[in-house]
Amino acid sequence: MDAITTVLVAMLGGALRVSTPFLFVSLGECLTERAGRINLGNEGVMVFGAMIAYATSYETGSPWLGVLVAAGCGMLIGGLHGLVCGMRGVNDVAMGIAIMLAGTGLAFFFGKPYVQPSAPLLPNIPLGGWADSPQLQNALAVSPLFFLGLAGAFAMAWMFRATRMGLRIRIVGESEDAARALGLPVERMRFLATAAGSGLAGIGGAFLSLCYPASWNEGLSSGQGLMAVALVVFARWNPVHCITAALLFGAAGALGPSLQTIGITWGYYLFYAAPYAVTLAILVATVQPGRTLKGMPGELSIGR
Amino acid sequence: MTTRHDLSRRSLLQGVALTAPALALGVTGPARAATTTIGFIYVGPKDDYGYNQAHAEAAAVLKKMKDIRLVEEEKVAETADVERTMESMIRLDGASLIFPTSFGYFDPYMLRMAAKYPKVQFRHCGGLWTKDKHPMNTGSYFGYIGMGQYLNGVVAAHATKTKKLGFVAAKPIPQVLVNINSFAMGARSVDPSITVQVIFTGEWSMPVKEAEATNSLAGQGVDVVTCHVDGPKVVIETAERRGMFTCGYHADQSRLAPKGYLTGAEWNWIKVYSDFAEGMKAGKAPGNFVRGGLSDGFVKMSAYGPAVPAAAKARAEAVKAEIMKGGFAAFTGPLKDNKGTTVLPAGKALPETAVELESTNWLVEGVIGAIA
Amino acid sequence: MSGADAPGAAAREGPGGALPAAAAAGIGILPGAAAAPADRWYPWRRAAEAGLAPIAALLAAFAAFAVFLLLLDKSPAEFLDLVWRGAFGSWFSLQNTLQRAAPLLLTALCVAIPARLGLVIIGGEAAVALGGLAAVAAALPVLGGPALLVWLVMAAAGAAAGALWIGLAGWLRARRGVNETIASLVLAYVGLAPFNHLVEGLLRDPASLNKPSTFGIGDALMLPALPGTDLHPGLLAGLAACVLSWVLISRTATGFAARVTGGNLRAAQLQGLPVQKLMIGACLLGGGFAGLAGMIEVAAVHGRANASLIAGYGWSGILIAFLSRHNPLAIIPMAVLLGGIGAAGGLLQRRMDMPDATVMVLQGFIFVAILASDTLLGRHPWFQPRRAES
């Protein structure tokens, strides 16, 4: 293969491998934000989800149970965030950072015994059987969670567009006054949206420890949960666009290492920052001064 | 080569006796002098399957020794934090010997504390201590692990089919470059057509990037991989899943890759620390400049994995015997770097003890990659 | 901030809560303030309320953590004893705490000042690193000069770099409408890339073999410790910055305009306040403080710029700012609290054989409790303003 193909295949593989946690956590964040709340705590939820999924898989031998437990614990932590932010006068950005700290701390605290053992992992689905090149075959060995994430994105988009519940969430997120006038239980809906969103983030964490890089240790999550907030803006609060955003982020993340393999070694720090720079560039290029972002829920605290 | 315990061996216990009354003021109950309190400071988690674990395992052996009290702190940043940790160990725990195990703890943090507490002994892992430049209550110890990577390379050369080896490295610093070069020299001593592709992740611990780097190497057709990052777990596991062979680093990772693990270069700090502890019982402070390699027991090799062919074992054992004899030089002139510049003229050789290696800033011929 | 329009919110300080009503209630000699009501004691009761709520929350957090310890079969009494001894119990421990608090005072201001205009900036981490780098880069050409000059040059360069970086987020918000929270978060990641690139490339001292660093400023130019202590002058700089920021926000016309903007953007625009300039200015100032923190780290601790500058001070600053409800004076006790927990953390590891993450768990408990306690504010009628009795 020539150099450019190598990089492209590596980026494709990277996109498929690295994007899934971004996809889940940004879907979760999207759901929460559409109900009018922001949750930076999803970073801590991911770390805790990664730990608990790995621990569960090790203790029970069932990685799928690990995913479920991670989702459940994510909902619990997210529920705490939802509950506290539902109280009058509590700032959701700050509380998110506190939750991030608490979740990460608890994960590290209880995760110590699980750094050493090897837990059963989720198997990949080999989609590249048709391809001749082993590189392509490998790039196309995709985790079932990726497809679950894709299905989740389309399901969420359909929910927002076509269901009663989706409409109600949108109203709650768009205008609290309107929601109250319609008799919607604003706080309860936000609480549920936050808990459910963090449940998705927990699955994203489970992917990190059970699929890729498939190992539990303390450096596992490197800010994916925080970046979800940027990804959601990037996706304009549209779940389907979360897929594109997550894939782009994954591909950009694979750029640094694969460029080195074809001999471009200068300035790898700068290449590693590519996903962030691209996000910023797109944000700047697409936002119109003097107007709020298209698609942004009106009640979102960061939008004011 | 020999273990060098340079210079004056100060009486450590005497030092403690002098220190204790001075510290008693304003100190909340340090341990009394009968036991020696030793402080260990780690930059990362103690159980990282790598650098910190290698130290912590040795510390755990020390802990069992009589009359020794061990205090440990993990994940201490290379900032003013480590000064406070050292000081807290001295003042609140009564530590009389401190091992700050991370390279970045030495200057200025440890030196500052050594000047402030001249009666406390500080021994730093990393080999920076220089006579006449640094105080006598400080010192450094380090192992020549490059030869371990050389042996890794010898074994890897027998296992590879594609003649492409891979190296996942954190940062292009001399310690890492020596390992990369040694790995390449070992492999190319078997088959000069072999190349070593190196990828720098830029961070000492960043699992997603390490996994991506390993996958990139696999995509390039690399079939044997080793690394120099703080925790090799992710690299070894990822490579195993991709069906690659692996050579370990820092600690024994054979359990992570039952199929592909060939061998590995491991620290054997137990040897160093128990030497220190034995010396202390005899009333002697640890040496100021302590180094050793395979022959001194500072470094060891993992047991060969099932995939290692007999020829490879024979060759590696022969080379190892040569190294154990002493004076073995992996780098012999004429030698070029990977840009074609001569780095070592004909007739010159660099054994593992050579000071020149400590400022290595080149990648040897056969390594694909560049220092940023 | 979804509850900013709830009853009682008007009397609260905070992003979106610093309303003219609070100013009018007599907290200061403010231009444009209406005649103060006769309730002389209200400011005191309000301060008492602001102080009591977090103290109650702190106690609750410790109680919850004690239960956590009991479940793990550890002694809460020993824990408290160690926290006290490690953080405050002796002059050494107190200095340890204050040293850890010093950089946090400045990084918290980086969040608190823009927050008074309703901007949530979370990118202080890169501002600290870039500030430190710029300070070294600026010092290198003038190393021969008098120490005071070098320090001033370093401080100016460090503050300028930090100001530029956070100011960029402010500019993007004010002029381009890009959300500042996301912009500053992304800029934090983006900013560390050139930092690492330069430290390990162009500005690297070739002699810094295994820990890539820039050239150093040399021992002679290190900021000296405060006489009789181990504390570096960064603590004084941080305290001074907090006090000055408080004066700026509470006692000047600019500060008043900023708080009006933070309270109600639309109203501020209608009144013709220079909203954009205020936003950019607040970000420049906050970023400048974070950059100064980087310069002090270099000049008082490291002597050079390297990866040690990326130590999480920026992230901790966010929490401290929110804990102190963006009141620069309240930042001081909160930074000391966080510094104290950090100082005690080592002792907990060593004496109770608990992992390093224990401190993170405790911090998490404390932060969740204190932030949740914000909801208590403005609930009890005793703390509320009363009508003057005729």
Side-chain angles (χ1 to χ4, degrees):
Chain A
M1 273 194 287
D2 64 56
I4 293 170
T5 322
T6 306
V7 171
L8 288 178
V9 170
M11 284 177 71
L12 170 71
L16 294 176
R17 282 189 299 263
V18 182
S19 64
T20 311
F22 282 120
L23 177 56
F24 274 98
V25 71
S26 62
L27 281 178
E29 190 67 38
C30 183
L31 177 60
T32 308
E33 290 189 15
R34 285 298 280 266
R37 178 166 292 146
I38 190 165
N39 186 4
L40 290 172
N42 277 341
E43 173 73 13
V45 171
M46 280 187 90
V47 179
F48 195 85
M51 187 282 290
I52 201 76
Y54 198 76
T56 307
S57 173
Y58 176 71
E59 298 290 352
T60 66
S62 163
W64 282 109
L65 191 64
V67 176
L68 272 182
V69 172
C73 288
M75 290 179 75
L76 279 179
I77 302 175
L80 175 68
H81 181 71
L83 205 65
V84 177
C85 293
M87 300 194 288
R88 196 187 69 205
V90 177
N91 180 282
D92 51 1
V93 173
M95 182 54 73
I97 294 172
I99 294 279
M100 172 169 94
L101 196 72
T104 310
L106 287 169
F108 288 2
F109 191 94
F110 291 109
K112 294 281 178 198
Y114 299 102
V115 176
Q116 301 290 327
S118 292
L121 305 175
L122 282 179
N124 284 336
I125 304 172
L127 293 179
W130 51 271
D132 296 329
S133 107
Q135 284 92 330
L136 209 51
Q137 283 182 10
N138 248 301
L140 290 174
V142 183
S143 165
L145 284 183
F146 177 70
F147 296 104
L148 202 66
L150 290 186
F154 284 103
M156 195 185 287
W158 173 77
M159 179 192 80
F160 282 138
R161 199 179 54 244
T163 70
R164 218 177 133 76
M165 186 169 61
L167 181 67
R168 292 168 65 163
I169 292 175
R170 276 162 48 202
I171 293 171
V172 168
E174 210 52 60
S175 163
E176 198 170 322
D177 292 340
R180 287 197 199 284
L182 290 169
L184 294 177
V186 174
E187 286 314 328
R188 196 169 78 213
M189 290 188 63
R190 285 198 182 141
F191 165 77
L192 291 174
T194 312
S198 289
L200 288 169
I203 300 177
F207 180 92
L208 285 174
S209 65
L210 293 177
C211 300
Y212 191 77
S215 181
W216 159 245
N217 63 58
E218 296 184 3
L220 196 56
S221 175
S222 43
Q224 288 97 328
L226 279 175
M227 285 314 292
V229 181
L231 259 77
V232 172
V233 182
F234 196 102
R236 290 281 184 278
W237 292 270
N238 179 337
V240 175
H241 291 174
C242 284
I243 302 172
T244 330
L247 281 173
L248 264 173
F249 247 66
L255 186 64
S258 56
L259 280 179
Q260 286 191 45
T261 61
I262 62 160
I264 299 174
T265 49
W266 181 87
Y268 45 87
Y269 281 113
L270 304 182
F271 288 119
Y272 286 147
Y276 306 110
V278 170
T279 306
L280 189 65
I282 292 184
L283 264 180
V284 174
T286 54
V287 170
Q288 305 267 313
R291 269 199 278 161
T292 47
L293 282 170
K294 193 167 161 282
M296 181 179 226
E299 287 291 324
L300 211 55
S301 63
I302 58 165
R304 295 194 184 157
Chain B
M1 79 226 66
T2 51
T3 309
R4 282 177 274 174
H5 294 271
D6 270 15
L7 310 166
S8 84
R9 299 176 171 204
R10 290 198 165 183
S11 165
L12 178 77
L13 295 179
Q14 191 191 340
V16 175
L18 287 172
T19 316
L23 286 176
L25 297 166
V27 174
T28 44
R32 288 293 118 195
T35 55
T36 307
T37 303
I38 302 178
F40 273 86
I41 307 173
Y42 313 103
V43 72
K46 281 191 279 183
D47 42 12
D48 62 357
Y49 245 112
Y51 184 84
N52 297 293
Q53 187 171 328
H55 283 288
E57 280 175 0
V61 175
L62 263 195
K63 199 172 189 169
K64 295 200 188 93
M65 294 176 73
K66 207 167 152 287
D67 297 335
I68 283 181
R69 181 163 157 261
L70 207 68
V71 288
E72 296 173 277
E73 218 175 300
E74 59 183 336
K75 286 178 102 170
V76 179
E78 293 173 354
T79 62
D81 284 10
V82 70
E83 289 182 31
R84 301 290 79 76
T85 291
M86 285 186 247
E87 202 163 10
S88 178
M89 284 176 164
I90 294 166
R91 302 193 57 151
L92 300 185
D93 297 331
S96 52
L97 171 61
I98 292 185
F99 293 111
T101 59
S102 178
F103 188 87
Y105 288 155
F106 187 78
D107 185 17
Y109 320 107
M110 185 184 106
L111 292 178
R112 218 177 269 158
M113 286 300 110
K116 191 171 174 190
Y117 296 98
K119 302 289 159 74
V120 177
Q121 296 288 335
F122 298 81
R123 292 297 177 273
H124 174 255
C125 181
L128 284 167
W129 189 85
T130 314
K131 195 191 163 194
D132 296 334
K133 189 175 164 198
H134 297 125
M136 292 304 292
N137 65 327
T138 63
S140 59
Y141 56 96
F142 204 61
Y144 299 116
I145 204 166
M147 284 307 98
Q149 282 291 9
Y150 186 87
L151 288 170
N152 274 350
V154 170
V155 177
H158 287 87
T160 179
K161 303 213 164 40
T162 60
K163 305 295 174 200
K164 286 180 179 175
L165 312 184
F167 200 115
V168 179
K171 291 174 186 257
I173 59 169
Q175 278 175 16
V176 174
L177 298 177
V178 166
N179 280 333
I180 299 169
N181 288 341
S182 301
F183 184 64
M185 293 301 287
R188 287 163 63 85
S189 75
V190 176
D191 179 351
S193 70
I194 287 176
T195 57
V196 175
Q197 168 78 54
V198 56
I199 294 184
F200 292 105
T201 63
E203 304 282 344
W204 286 106
S205 178
M206 185 63 87
V208 176
K209 267 184 214 162
E210 287 155 17
E212 264 313 290
T214 312
N215 271 309
S216 286
L217 289 170
Q220 273 291 97
V222 164
D223 60 354
V224 189
V225 121
T226 187
C227 62
H228 187 164
V229 292
D230 266 355
K233 190 183 183 201
V234 168
V235 173
I236 303 288
E237 284 180 335
T238 308
E240 177 81 353
R241 267 172 234 136
R242 294 293 303 256
M244 298 155 91
F245 295 115
T246 45
C247 295
Y249 188 66
H250 286 316
D252 184 5
Q253 285 109 19
S254 57
R255 230 158 42 76
L256 300 175
K259 286 204 290 278
Y261 196 77
L262 299 174
T263 181
E266 301 175 30
W267 301 106
N268 193 30
W269 296 123
I270 293 165
K271 160 79 177 148
V272 184
Y273 291 135
S274 54
D275 278 1
F276 285 168
E278 292 300 329
M280 275 154 41
K281 279 187 185 161
K284 283 174 181 160
N288 296 92
F289 191 84
V290 178
R291 299 221 175 165
L294 278 164
S295 59
D296 310 286
F298 282 33
V299 172
K300 64 180 180 188
M301 297 302 291
S302 315
Y304 295 110
V308 179
K313 274 186 209 172
R315 178 77 180 252
E317 284 302 315
V319 177
K320 192 173 166 189
E322 191 74 17
I323 295 172
M324 301 293 267
K325 262 194 291 180
F328 179 82
F331 301 97
T332 48
L335 194 65
K336 283 185 177 155
D337 70 8
N338 66 355
K339 291 180 204 140
T341 320
T342 302
V343 283
L344 212 55
K348 197 158 172 5
L350 298 179
E352 62 182 357
T353 50
V355 185
E356 292 92 324
L357 288 177
E358 287 170 32
S359 50
T360 300
N361 61 358
W362 41 272
L363 286 166
V364 76
E365 191 176 12
V367 176
I368 305 168
I371 303 158
Chain C
M1 277 173 273
S2 54
D5 50 352
R12 235 175 34 238
E13 294 283 347
L19 294 178
I27 51 171
I29 39 164
L30 292 163
D39 185 0
R40 297 170 50 211
W41 299 109
Y42 166 61
W44 296 101
R45 290 202 311 278
R46 202 173 64 103
E49 181 188 31
L52 281 175
I55 289 171
L58 194 61
L59 292 177
F62 269 99
F65 195 73
V67 173
F68 178 77
L69 288 173
L70 284 174
L71 292 175
L72 296 165
D73 213 18
K74 303 265 182 192
S75 155
E78 187 188 0
F79 172 80
L80 278 178
D81 178 51
L82 287 177
V83 168
W84 173 253
R85 274 202 274 163
F88 306 103
S90 66
W91 176 226
F92 163 73
S93 298
L94 191 62
Q95 290 194 71
N96 187 345
T97 297
L98 292 176
Q99 272 167 324
R100 288 171 197 264
L104 306 180
L105 294 170
L106 290 167
T107 55
L109 285 174
C110 176
V111 182
I113 295 172
R116 299 308 285 261
L117 287 114
L119 303 185
V120 180
I121 293 285
I122 56 179
E125 191 75 9
V128 174
L130 292 171
L133 185 67
V136 171
L140 292 178
V142 293
L143 280 185
L148 197 62
L149 174 79
V150 179
W151 291 331
L152 285 176
V153 167
M154 288 178 75
L164 202 68
W165 206 248
I166 302 298
L168 181 58
W171 180 83
L172 284 171
R173 163 65 194 261
R175 292 286 154 86
R176 303 278 316 174
V178 177
N179 177 268
E180 79 287 349
T181 309
I182 294 158
S184 63
L185 174 67
V186 176
L187 279 171
Y189 287 100
V190 172
L192 293 180
F195 173 83
N196 284 319
H197 186 71
L198 289 172
V199 166
E200 299 191 9
L202 198 62
L203 293 174
R204 179 172 176 183
D205 174 4
S208 68
L209 294 175
N210 285 316
K211 183 170 182 185
S213 308
T214 62
F215 289 95
I217 58 171
D219 288 344
L221 285 171
M222 295 293 285
L223 287 170
L226 301 176
T229 70
D230 295 330
L231 300 167
H232 62 68
L235 183 67
L236 289 186
L239 292 173
C242 285
V243 173
L244 288 176
S245 301
W246 179 78
V247 171
L248 175 69
I249 291 169
S250 314
R251 294 280 187 269
T252 67
T254 311
F256 181 69
R259 284 181 295 148
V260 171
T261 309
N264 189 333
L265 183 61
R266 193 75 36 89
Q269 281 166 333
L270 287 175
Q271 285 176 33
L273 291 176
V275 170
Q276 294 193 351
K277 275 189 189 143
L278 284 168
M279 283 182 170
I280 298 172
C283 289
L284 286 172
L285 186 61
F289 284 137
L292 189 63
M295 173 268 171
I296 291 169
E297 280 295 297
V298 165
V301 180
H302 307 299
R304 51 185 71 82
N306 55 37
S308 290
L309 280 171
I310 308 168
Y313 298 135
W315 300 116
S316 302
I318 302 169
L319 278 165
I320 295 173
F322 275 98
L323 290 185
S324 43
R325 286 186 225 114
H326 311 301
N327 177 342
L329 288 183
I331 284 174
I332 298 169
M334 288 302 170
V336 170
L337 173 70
L338 200 68
I341 294 171
L347 207 57
L348 294 176
Q349 276 193 48
R350 281 154 18 216
R351 295 282 172 86
M352 290 182 81
D353 199 22
M354 296 178 71
D356 63 288
T358 316
V359 169
M360 288 180 81
V361 177
L362 175 63
Q363 285 178 351
F365 277 51
I366 291 177
F367 292 139
V368 170
I370 296 187
L371 290 170
S373 80
D374 279 2
T375 195
L376 298 174
L377 299 180
R379 293 223 173 180
H380 197 285
W382 189 79
F383 292 112
Q384 302 314 308
R386 294 162 198 177
R387 273 175 185 279
E389 285 165 40
S390 50

